[in-house]
């Protein structure tokens, strides 16, 4: 890892199913729960003797939290410098923020231009440790490019299934990194069905969103960073663009782990899911009081990452929203486009449409007073707008 000495190995103990409680051995290859097919959560030995001081002097990447990441042997870490992205205040749009402190956590500077680098770094690293040689995934765009890059770095094969409607730049980067790209006339759910079939036939390991335990672990590092960057005092509200929902769930998991460590107290932000009008299953389920979402696909959206008709871990997403006293809101493509341009012209940030959707959501929630005066608000921009120029210009 760039000659950086790891002082302590991972504190990973096992994997636990949040639905039925079944414990799984983390030393072998796992996908979902063998009894109920739920997403599995990695667990760690979180004794309170571990001080925040362990972070002093560590590299500014997500692997600074290595004790709480799943890789046992440091030689298996596959990193391209992902994580520890900046938190930037909204400076020039004060007419909208008013008496709120509003910040962006900007994930666009990650390798391959999005937060997907975090989850893929953790998943590919653990796959390497477990001896996996071929990894496949369905993708709306960014996860495919990230898998292609990290697989190239790890020396393993990557197979990426992507909708034909995805902007060309996402396809080009997969080819450039040497991945096998399969284009599908459909959405990410259609890609997922084919990956399931072909992975079984070809003995590929799938890293589909929340169908293996470790992408979640990489994404959760956003939660650790948020706490550290805000001096261990969490914001009042966090808005998150929700496609598959791994980041939302991961951030919430990180908060729980840090409370067990004694690094933060029990205060939690209200979590907000922001979806495209095109795929609003979580929003509908939340507001109708349901514990699962229904399949919802209204077709193309400029926010490719939000076109996830039915997230695999919809039950967990909805549980997080309710535990946090949060909410869920939809944003149209026109609103995303307007917000993207407004932010670019006033803040100098060209963000992904998924991130821009949060700005519009913030304004709506403030107007209805769901966001209260004086509250500190964090918006998580998940990727770079440069990769979406084909959609937004």
């Amino acid at each position: 890892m760039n000659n950086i000495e790891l002082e302590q190995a991972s504190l990973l103990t096992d994997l636990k199913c949040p639905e039925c409680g079944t414990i799984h051995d983390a030393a072998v290859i796992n996908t979902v729960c063998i009894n109920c097919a739920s997403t599995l959560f990695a667990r760690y030995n979180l004794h309170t003797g571990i001080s925040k001081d362990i972070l002093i002097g560590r590299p500014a990447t997500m692997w600074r939290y290595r004790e709480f990441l799943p890789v046992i042997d440091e030689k298996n870490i596959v990193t391209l410098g992902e994580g520890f992205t900046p938190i930037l205040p909204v400076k020039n749009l004060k007419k909208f923020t008013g008496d709120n402190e509003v910040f962006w956590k900007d994930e666009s500077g990650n390798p391959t231009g999005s937060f997907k680098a975090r989850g893929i770094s953790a998943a590919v690293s653990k796959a390497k440790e477990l001896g996996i040689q071929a990894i496949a995934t369905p993708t709306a765009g960014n996860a495919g490019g990230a898998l292609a890059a990290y697989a190239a770095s790890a020396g393993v094969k990557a197979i990426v299934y992507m909708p034909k409607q995805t902007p060309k730049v996402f396809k080009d980067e997969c080819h450039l990194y040497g991945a096998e790209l399969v284009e599908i006339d459909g959405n990410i759910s259609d890609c997922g069905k084919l990956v399931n079939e072909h992975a079984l036939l070809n003995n590929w390991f799938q890293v589909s969103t929340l169908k293996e335990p470790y992408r979640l672990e990489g994404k959760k590092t956003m939660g650790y960073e948020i706490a550290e960057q805000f001096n261990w005092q969490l914001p009042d509200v966090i808005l998150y663009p929700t496609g598959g929902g791994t980041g939302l769930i991961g951030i919430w998991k990180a908060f729980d782990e840090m409370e067990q460590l004694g690094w933060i107290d029990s205060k939690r932000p209200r979590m907000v899911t922001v979806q495209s009008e095109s795929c609003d299953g979580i929003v509908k389920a939340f507001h109708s009081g349901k514990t699962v979402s229904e399949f919802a696909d209204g077709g193309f959206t400029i926010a490719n990452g939000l076109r996830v008709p039915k997230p695999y871990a919809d039950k967990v997403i909805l549980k997080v929203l309710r535990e946090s006293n949060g909410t869920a809101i939809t944003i149209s493509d026109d609103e995303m486009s307007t917000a993207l341009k407004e932010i670019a012209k006033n803040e100098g940030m060209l963000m992904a449409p998924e991130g821009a959707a949060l700005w519009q959501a913030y304004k709506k929630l403030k107007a209805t007073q769901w966001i209260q005066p004086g509250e500190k608000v964090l918006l998580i921009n998940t990727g770079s707008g440069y990769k979406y120029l084909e959609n937004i210009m």
Side-chain angles (χ1 to χ4, degrees), residues 234-250:
L234 301 180
D236 299 295
V237 180
I238 295 178
L239 278 74
Y240 196 88
T242 304
T246 318
L248 180 89
I249 297 167

Side-chain angles (χ1 to χ4, degrees), residues 34-194:
I34 55 173
N35 289 326
C36 70
S38 167
T39 297
L40 294 175
F41 283 6
R43 297 197 303 176
Y44 301 83
N45 181 15
L46 302 173
H47 58 82
T48 54
I50 303 174
S51 165
K52 296 191 289 279
D53 291 346
I54 63 170
L55 303 174
I56 295 171
R58 286 192 174 180
T61 76
M62 76 174 201
W63 292 99
R64 67 194 280 107
Y65 311 111
R66 53 187 169 261
E67 287 85 359
F68 321 115
L69 287 167
V71 181
I72 306 300
D73 186 341
E74 65 183 83
K75 293 193 295 293
N76 293 314
I77 292 175
V78 183
T79 179
L80 297 170
E82 57 291 326
F84 222 76
T85 54
I87 288 180
L88 306 170
V90 173
K91 296 181 295 185
N92 300 325
L93 290 166
K94 295 288 190 183
K95 66 180 180 180
F96 296 110
T97 58
D99 51 10
N100 293 115
E101 285 186 278
V102 184
F103 300 86
W104 289 102
K105 185 159 179 62
D106 186 13
E107 292 288 295
S108 65
N110 274 306
T112 69
S114 87
F115 72 143
K116 298 291 185 180
R118 295 177 184 267
I120 295 298
S121 174
V124 170
S125 296
K126 193 63 183 178
K128 180 182 176 184
E129 185 159 77
L130 293 169
I132 292 165
Q133 294 298 312
I135 305 174
T137 194
T139 182
N142 274 313
L147 177 61
Y150 283 85
S153 180
V156 301
K157 181 178 181 180
I159 309 96
V160 176
Y161 285 64
M162 186 182 291
K164 285 181 180 176
Q165 278 190 306
T166 308
K168 184 174 180 291
V169 64
F170 294 101
K171 301 171 187 176
D172 289 343
E173 69 177 341
C174 288
H175 288 304
L176 286 166
Y177 290 125
E180 180 181 332
L181 178 66
V182 183
E183 295 185 49
I184 302 300
D185 190 10
N187 58 40
I188 194 170
S189 295
D190 299 313
C191 293
K193 290 171 188 173
L194 282 173

Side-chain angles (χ1 to χ4, degrees), residues 73-342:
D73 186 341
E74 65 183 83
K75 293 193 295 293
N76 293 314
I77 292 175
V78 183
T79 179
L80 297 170
E82 57 291 326
F84 222 76
T85 54
I87 288 180
L88 306 170
V90 173
K91 296 181 295 185
N92 300 325
L93 290 166
K94 295 288 190 183
K95 66 180 180 180
F96 296 110
T97 58
D99 51 10
N100 293 115
E101 285 186 278
V102 184
F103 300 86
W104 289 102
K105 185 159 179 62
D106 186 13
E107 292 288 295
S108 65
N110 274 306
T112 69
S114 87
F115 72 143
K116 298 291 185 180
R118 295 177 184 267
I120 295 298
S121 174
V124 170
S125 296
K126 193 63 183 178
K128 180 182 176 184
E129 185 159 77
L130 293 169
I132 292 165
Q133 294 298 312
I135 305 174
T137 194
T139 182
N142 274 313
L147 177 61
Y150 283 85
S153 180
V156 301
K157 181 178 181 180
I159 309 96
V160 176
Y161 285 64
M162 186 182 291
K164 285 181 180 176
Q165 278 190 306
T166 308
K168 184 174 180 291
V169 64
F170 294 101
K171 301 171 187 176
D172 289 343
E173 69 177 341
C174 288
H175 288 304
L176 286 166
Y177 290 125
E180 180 181 332
L181 178 66
V182 183
E183 295 185 49
I184 302 300
D185 190 10
N187 58 40
I188 194 170
S189 295
D190 299 313
C191 293
K193 290 171 188 173
L194 282 173
V195 170
N196 274 331
E197 294 173 19
H198 296 173
L200 287 171
L201 290 171
N202 295 286
N203 198 30
W204 301 332
F205 182 73
Q206 287 192 63
V207 289
S208 304
T209 302
L210 294 166
K211 291 185 180 179
E212 59 79 49
Y214 301 116
R215 280 179 69 176
L216 178 66
E217 296 304 290
K219 293 281 189 71
K220 84 177 179 191
T221 58
M222 287 186 287
Y224 278 85
E225 289 173 23
I226 289 164
E228 185 175 358
Q229 289 170 309
F230 279 117
N231 197 27
W232 311 104
Q233 298 293 317
L234 301 180
D236 299 295
V237 180
I238 295 178
L239 278 74
Y240 196 88
T242 304
T246 318
L248 180 89
I249 297 167
I251 289 169
W252 197 247
K253 183 177 188 285
F255 295 159
D256 180 60
E257 290 176 358
M258 285 185 286
E259 184 179 354
Q260 291 180 61
L261 287 162
W263 291 8
I264 61 171
D265 59 24
S266 60
K267 177 182 176 288
R268 294 288 183 276
R270 304 197 307 283
M271 304 296 288
V272 180
T273 272
V274 181
Q275 290 196 295
S276 166
E277 285 184 353
S278 174
C279 282
D280 59 353
I282 295 293
V283 175
K284 286 178 177 173
F286 178 81
H287 290 292
S288 60
K290 294 178 180 176
T291 58
V292 296
S293 66
E294 294 182 7
F295 186 95
D297 184 18
F300 175 79
T301 169
I302 61 171
N304 298 84
L306 296 184
R307 192 179 175 188
V308 181
K310 182 173 170 61
Y312 188 75
D314 52 354
K315 291 168 74 171
V316 187
I317 296 167
L318 290 162
K319 185 169 181 280
V320 169
L321 295 180
R322 293 184 175 120
E323 280 181 359
S324 72
N325 295 312
T327 192
I329 185 171
T330 57
I331 300 297
S332 71
D333 273 18
D334 284 346
E335 289 174 316
M336 286 182 221
S337 181
T338 298
L340 190 151
K341 291 167 185 173
E342 183 172 66

Side-chain angles (χ1 to χ4, degrees), residues 330-371:
T330 57
I331 300 297
S332 71
D333 273 18
D334 284 346
E335 289 174 316
M336 286 182 221
S337 181
T338 298
L340 190 151
K341 291 167 185 173
E342 183 172 66
I343 296 159
K345 290 174 182 177
N346 290 279
E347 299 289 326
M349 298 171 66
L350 185 58
M351 55 185 54
E354 294 89 343
L358 306 185
W359 179 240
Q360 207 66 24
Y362 162 75
K363 289 193 283 187
K364 288 186 174 185
L365 293 172
K366 184 174 175 64
T368 60
Q369 297 191 322
W370 190 90
I371 291 175

